Each structure stands twice: as C-alpha cells, then as structure tokens.
Amino acid sequence: MTTMAQATEDVSYLEAISQALDEEMARDERVFVMGEDVGTYGGAFKITEGFLQKYGEWRVLDTPLSESGIVGAAIGAAMMGLRPVVEMQFADFISCAFDQITEVAAKNHYRWGAAVPMVIRAPFGGGVHGGPFHSECPEGWFFHSPGLKLVAPSTPYDAKGLLKAAIRDPNPVIYFEHKFLYRRIKSALPTEDFVVPIGKADIKRAGNNISVITYGAMVHLALEAAQTLAQEGIDLEVVDLRTLMPLDKETIFASVRKTSKAILLHEDNKTGGIGAEVAALLAEDCFDCLDGPIVRIAPPDTPVPFSTPLEEFFLPKPSDIIAAARKLAAY
Amino acid sequence: MDVSVIAKEIKRDDLLHMYYYLKLTRALEDRITALYRQGRIVGGVYTSHGMEAIAVGYASALERDDIIAPFHRDMGAFLIRGFTTGEILAQYLGKRTGPTKGKDGNVHMGDLKRGVFGFVSHLADNMPVAAGAALAFKIREEPRVVFAGTGDGGTSRGDFHEAMNFAAVRKLPVVFFCNNNQYAYSTPLRLQMAIPNVVDRAKAYAMPGEIVDGNDVAAVHLAAKRAIAGARAGVGPTFLEFKTMRMHGHSEHDPATYVPREVLEEWKKKDPIVKAERLLKELGYGDNASFQEVTARAKSEVEAGVEFAEQSPLPEGPEVLEGVFADKADSH
C-alpha cells in the first residue's frame, strides 16, 4: 500500500471519488459532469452532492433519462475540447449506451483521428441486493472493444488517483466504481494532488506461493483469505489489476513467474470474463513456470440474483479462495 | 411565391459557388460510380445523385467555425469544407492519403480541423454527438452552431429522439435535418413511420420544423440560414425536413427495382442541377456556355483527384495497429 508523509483523516471510497471529481472540476474548467439526477439530488449515491450549487447548472447537468443520448452528447462535447464525466446511475444501464460507447467513442480516433477525452463513471457490482438490473458487472462487454480504457479501483487511494488519471486521459475511459465499497472501505489519503497511472497493476499483498489476480471488491476478499491462509503457511500474493484495459501484463507475468501458481478471481460472470483472458495470457507466456492448473473463481453464468441466499451463493466468498488455494498449494 | 424572388436574397457569387459544388459533387460521384463498375473500388458506394442540393445548400450557409455532422449522402458538404477530390478518391480507393488513411472507406470520413464529424453507419448515432458539440458551444458561450442530419430511416432510431429531446430541453445551438429521400435502403417511408411528414416528429420536442424542397439549392440554403440564425441567437434547435428522392440504389450494387420507374421519371424532372440552371438563367447569372465551362472545370478537378488518388500509396498492413488510442486530445 502507498505510504504518505502527510495524510488526511480516513476518507471513504465514495468520498475519494467525490473529492477527485471536485478537485478536477476546480483545477480545469473544461471538466463538467452530466447524468441522471446528478444535480439537485446530488447523484443516486451522492457522489456529486453540493456540486450544482458550487459549479452551476452548465457544469453539473441533470439530463433526461436517456443513456445513449447522454453518452453521445459527452462524445460531442469531448471532441469540442471539453472534459465530460458522465455518471451512469447504475453500471447496468450502460447497456442502453452500448452503441455510442463501442461504435462512436471507441472507434472515432482509430477511424478519423478524433480523440474522445471522456469518462463514464459506472457504479457496478453486487452484494447490495440490487437484483439483475442493479448489480451487474458489465466490464466484459467493453473489454472486447478496442479503443476503450477500463479501470476498476479497489481502495480510496486508487479510486481518487484513477479518476483523476481518467479525466486527464485523452481517451474514453470507463471507470467502474464498486457500490459495495462506497461506505465500507476507508483510508487516509495524501493531501497533495496525485494520480494513479492507468495501465499499472498494484501488488496489494506480496506473497510467494500463489498469485491471486483480481480487481474491484474481490481484492478485499482475497486479502481476507490471505490472512487465514498465512496461518497455515500458504502465502498469497494479491495482484490488484486496477486497470483492466490496457492490462498490465508485465506485473501479472512477474507475479506468476515468482509464485508459479495463479488464481483468477472476479465478480463478473465466468465465461468470457477478464479471468479467461488472463488465463489465456498465462498459458501463452508463462506455461513453463506454472506448477499447477490455472484456477478461476467467478460467479456462475446467471444474472445477479436478488434474494439473500441466492446472491450469497452467486458471489465468490473468501472460503472459495481458501479452498482453491489449499488445493493448489498441495498440487 | 416565384422562386427567383426568394433566391434574390442570395448573392450572385454565393449562388454561383453553390452551382459549382452541385456540378463538382455530381462529377465526382459519377466518376466514383464508374470506378466502382470497373471494379477498382472495394466496398460500398453511396451517392447523393439527385440529392446534391441538400448538402451544397446547407454547407454553404454555415460559417467556418460551425460543425457539420453529415448524412451519408452529403458529399457536397465534404467538398465545401475543403476535402479535395483527391483525398476523397483516395478514401474510396483505400489509400493512405485518404482522411481515414485506409482505416475506413467511402463516406465514412471526417476531420475535426475542418469541422466535419466522421459518419457512423449506425444511422443517427451522430445526432446525440452533434447535440454534445452544441452543448460545448453553449457552455463556453461561443456563437457556433452544429448542423446534423440523417435520413428518413434514421429518424426511427432512439438516438435521433434522444438527441432531439436533449437539445430541445437545453435549447442547444443545433439544427437537425432529415434527408427524406423516400426510401431507407428498400423500405419505403410508409413502412418507416405512420405519419406523412418526418417534420411531425419535431412537434414532440416543441421544436420548430419546416418542410423544404430538397431539390432546390436556393430553398435549402435559405431555410438553413434561417435555422442557423435562430440557433446562433440562442433560440434553440430547429428541424428541417428536406424532401427529395434517391435516384440511385442504396449502394451502387443495388438496382433499386423496388422503386416504381414512373416515380423516378417524375423526380428526374426535378433534378437539382437542372433546377439550379433554370434559376441562374432566370436571374441572369448564367447561360449554357457558362454552365458548360463550370462542368469542364468540375471534371478537370475530378480528374486531378483521380490522378492523385491513383498515385497515392496503399497503407502497409502493420499500419492497422496504429491509432487505437490517442496520445493527446486536440482543442476545438
């Protein structure tokens, strides 16, 4: 974890996002936010609370209920030199804007040289009893679409630093912020301006026996499992991808070359998920150094269910990681 | 009202300028069609044959700093914005000197420096994007306007309606237009919408709308001028329905046998170039000799373009890897 000479009081993951947005809007007048209920209401999760009063209705735009229209408008404003940050109220609703994101934002620079410097904030993930339309992890849809950058922070530090980096990036960036972490994860932050570079994974726990490659809320599950496993002599290394596209292959490969074993853990459905891609990369580049099968831990291929026992069954648990690690350690 | 009386509101030079671009568009697209038939163009060819007055009329009504998000049959807009015949032909031939360096083909080109958004095949996708550019102008309080359109088919898409609604709510400086050429590929208007006029769609957004003769370059130009002036003055968006007819198939491979021949014969009489020539004669701005001179000038510009494009290099295979991500963003 990052150490800081000067640090603030503990800041929640949600406050870190809000701070990043506020500081970027104060720093650069081109930055503005738009989305459903981001103005008067302050956003469904209150990320932009107070922003309307501070920045006015032309920098904090309440929009019609119209995801494709909002993202399209952000693309146009970005090409005209502004720096839009779109709030997708729930990441699930991003499907309505899929076409604008994949066909327009992602391809404009490649096709005709027009950069699209915009950010889409997508509150994603389960564990909050949101059911099939409020708990989704849609990163896989965009992972497959060239021209987009995807980030998914797991800590307040990364959340703040990655949002700042995303706003300053000349490309369309989808920023997956995990709803489960909003008010559950807190830490002190540096008082000075900082960014977390896009494209760099982070070793959240160094270890020698098994690499757990993960991101988002699952990072915390892996850390929890690592504590238990340490008592029985299994030393997990937790690699937090932080950026999903472009993937930091160097850090992934270095970790697996050290530990020789890999568990890929994510909250998105198993089939065609990011874990599948990382597994393929490891098979291509690290085959010689693997001492056991590549293990994937992910939810089954179903929509995210609502009822508590169903959602608990659906989501990965520390015990899943512990069981997989024990088996892999004995391999 | 007699057409020439209205057309007198347009300066002689402006009308002659438009006439030249009508001829240049026709000459260029006819040449592209010929190249296609010779098998020298890979991919689709979508022409504006019979509809040239729309793009020429509106593009010549805009200021340099304004933005155009063209329909895919708006070749005249590219030409007026300074895309050379050579660049356009290079685009069709997949050459490196085309605006997309071979990454995309035909009318799928754009250039922010010349204020033209690259066309997206998913029709009406550029309408919200245009609204967003207009939003930027409104936020920065710049007196700039966006002119964005699609065809009759494209107005059935959600993105069209989302853009119209957002622009109307925020009174954005954008003019939306529809090239109503009666057919979306093979689907006639009556199977596209239950209303007789596309302009009626604007009513749902409290947006003023106007039906314009899309084959009359002067009428298009003047309607565009009025809508642009309103947008620039802060009145908000306007919708223009340009009524016209697609005289070729959807693409040059399509013989369009689904269009009754007698309908095409009727529209042939309303050809925008013939119409413009009649007007120029009526106003005393031109005669057959001057028209022939313009035709020759347009043809020689097209031939120079063909030479440029043919001599241009094809991209090298590995260039496919370039440009997925931007290193920097421009300010516009």
Side-chain angles (χ1 to χ4, degrees), chain A residues 29-30 32 34 57-83 96 99-100 102-104 106-117 145-149 169-172 245-246, chain B residues 67 99-101 103-104 108-112 116-122 124-140 144 157 159 162-163 165-166 169-172 319-332:
Chain A
E29 65 171 14
R30 298 174 303 174
F32 74 101
M34 63 193 297
E57 64 167 336
W58 289 102
R59 290 187 72 197
V60 185
L61 283 99
D62 273 325
T63 64
L65 200 164
S66 180
E67 287 79 9
S68 194
I70 299 165
V71 170
I75 294 167
M79 289 197 295
M80 290 299 101
L82 293 183
R83 296 291 178 272
C96 297
D99 170 51
Q100 283 289 341
T102 57
E103 301 306 310
V104 189
K107 291 178 180 170
N108 267 12
H109 187 265
Y110 186 73
R111 291 175 53 230
W112 57 288
V116 182
S145 183
L148 304 171
K149 292 188 178 181
D169 197 279
N171 294 284
M245 183 57 69
Chain B
I67 294 287
T100 66
K101 302 175 183 170
K103 301 276 183 55
D104 209 336
H108 294 79
M109 54 189 172
D111 180 11
L112 275 187
V116 182
F117 283 175
F119 175 73
V120 180
S121 283
H122 302 48
D125 265 13
N126 264 344
M127 305 284 275
V129 178
L135 173 66
F137 300 158
K138 180 116 181 178
I139 290 174
R140 291 197 301 236
R144 298 164 70 185
R157 278 212 55 225
D159 277 40
E162 296 193 26
N165 186 47
F166 182 59
V169 166
R170 291 280 175 174
K171 291 202 183 308
L172 302 179
E319 288 173 36
V320 74
L321 302 173
E322 294 169 6
V324 174
F325 290 113
D327 297 328
K328 63 175 180 58
D330 297 323
S331 265
H332 294 273

Side-chain angles (χ1 to χ4, degrees), chain A:
Chain A
M1 294 288 278
T2 313
T3 54
M4 298 147 265
Q6 277 194 313
T8 58
E9 292 294 300
D10 275 0
V11 169
S12 72
Y13 182 90
L14 184 145
E15 288 162 345
I17 296 167
S18 187
Q19 278 185 12
L21 203 47
D22 190 12
E23 287 175 21
E24 288 304 294
M25 286 180 77
R27 184 187 66 82
D28 183 349
E29 65 171 14
R30 298 174 303 174
V31 181
F32 74 101
V33 298
M34 63 193 297
E36 293 153 15
D37 310 297
V38 297
T40 308
Y41 192 68
F45 298 102
K46 302 294 178 187
I47 296 274
T48 53
E49 190 157 44
F51 280 41
L52 180 67
Q53 291 76 7
K54 195 168 173 183
Y55 295 107
E57 64 167 336
W58 289 102
R59 290 187 72 197
V60 185
L61 283 99
D62 273 325
T63 64
L65 200 164
S66 180
E67 287 79 9
S68 194
I70 299 165
V71 170
I75 294 167
M79 289 197 295
M80 290 299 101
L82 293 183
R83 296 291 178 272
V85 179
V86 170
E87 179 175 304
M88 198 54 62
Q89 196 160 69
F90 284 83
D92 311 59
F93 306 158
I94 210 167
S95 53
C96 297
F98 187 80
D99 170 51
Q100 283 289 341
I101 296 170
T102 57
E103 301 306 310
V104 189
K107 291 178 180 170
N108 267 12
H109 187 265
Y110 186 73
R111 291 175 53 230
W112 57 288
V116 182
M118 67 181 286
V119 179
I120 300 173
R121 287 183 32 240
F124 80 131
V128 293
H129 312 299
F133 301 120
H134 293 81
S135 295
E136 222 165 341
C137 290
E139 60 271 26
W141 301 346
F142 302 102
F143 188 59
H144 192 66
S145 183
L148 304 171
K149 292 188 178 181
L150 313 177
V151 299
S154 68
T155 65
Y157 181 85
D158 290 346
K160 186 166 181 179
L162 275 172
L163 184 51
K164 282 170 171 266
I167 290 170
R168 298 175 196 184
D169 197 279
N171 294 284
V173 182
I174 309 182
Y175 176 93
F176 291 99
E177 53 192 63
H178 205 293
K179 299 193 297 290
F180 187 79
L181 303 179
Y182 273 155
R183 297 174 201 279
R184 288 180 176 88
I185 302 292
K186 289 186 177 186
S187 69
L189 296 180
T191 49
E192 72 274 13
D193 182 54
F194 68 96
V195 295
V196 169
I198 292 175
K200 292 269 177 252
D202 187 39
I203 307 295
K204 286 289 191 281
R205 183 188 191 279
N208 291 308
N209 300 141
I210 300 169
S211 299
V212 181
I213 299 158
T214 186
Y215 58 93
M218 294 295 114
V219 169
H220 301 282
L221 264 63
L223 291 170
E224 199 184 318
Q227 276 192 334
T228 306
L229 289 162
Q231 291 159 14
E232 42 191 274
I234 301 171
D235 190 16
L236 291 191
E237 174 147 301
V238 179
V239 180
D240 180 359
L241 292 174
R242 297 198 295 195
T243 296
L244 310 179
M245 183 57 69
L247 266 181
D248 182 359
K249 293 177 195 168
E250 212 172 287
T251 301
I252 296 168
F253 294 163
S255 176
V256 174
R257 282 187 188 119
K258 181 173 76 168
T259 63
S260 304
K261 286 173 181 169
I263 293 173
L264 313 175
L265 167 68
H266 59 64
E267 198 186 319
D268 190 9
N269 302 113
K270 191 170 187 176
T271 300
I274 284 153
E277 176 62 25
V278 176
L281 288 170
L282 291 175
E284 281 175 350
D285 284 86
C286 298
F287 184 75
D288 289 348
C289 66
L290 285 170
D291 282 343
I294 298 166
V295 177
R296 277 190 290 164
I297 302 173
D301 292 328
T302 70
V304 189
F306 170 74
S307 179
T308 302
L310 298 181
E311 191 177 27
E312 279 176 2
F313 182 89
F314 174 88
L315 289 172
K317 288 163 278 298
S319 58
D320 298 331
I321 306 162
I322 291 165
R326 281 179 185 152
K327 210 172 147 188
L328 200 50
Y331 191 85

Side-chain angles (χ1 to χ4, degrees), chain B residues 27-107:
Chain B
L28 175 61
E29 291 189 331
D30 282 353
R31 191 69 167 88
I32 289 168
T33 297
L35 288 168
Y36 175 79
R37 289 188 181 145
Q38 291 163 8
R40 289 158 78 190
I41 289 176
V42 291
V45 168
Y46 314 89
T47 73
S48 63
H49 198 106
M51 305 171 44
E52 295 91 339
I54 298 169
V56 169
Y58 79 70
S60 59
L62 287 156
E63 299 293 330
R64 196 70 189 81
D65 282 345
D66 295 334
I67 294 287
I68 298 171
F71 176 57
H72 66 275
R73 300 188 200 279
D74 286 359
M75 180 60 82
F78 288 100
L79 292 167
I80 287 175
R81 273 304 161 103
F83 285 70
T84 65
T85 54
E87 283 175 287
I88 292 164
L89 283 152
Q91 167 83 356
Y92 272 87
L93 293 170
K95 298 295 182 83
R96 191 193 281 145
T97 49
T100 66
K101 302 175 183 170
K103 301 276 183 55
D104 209 336
N106 52 61
V107 287

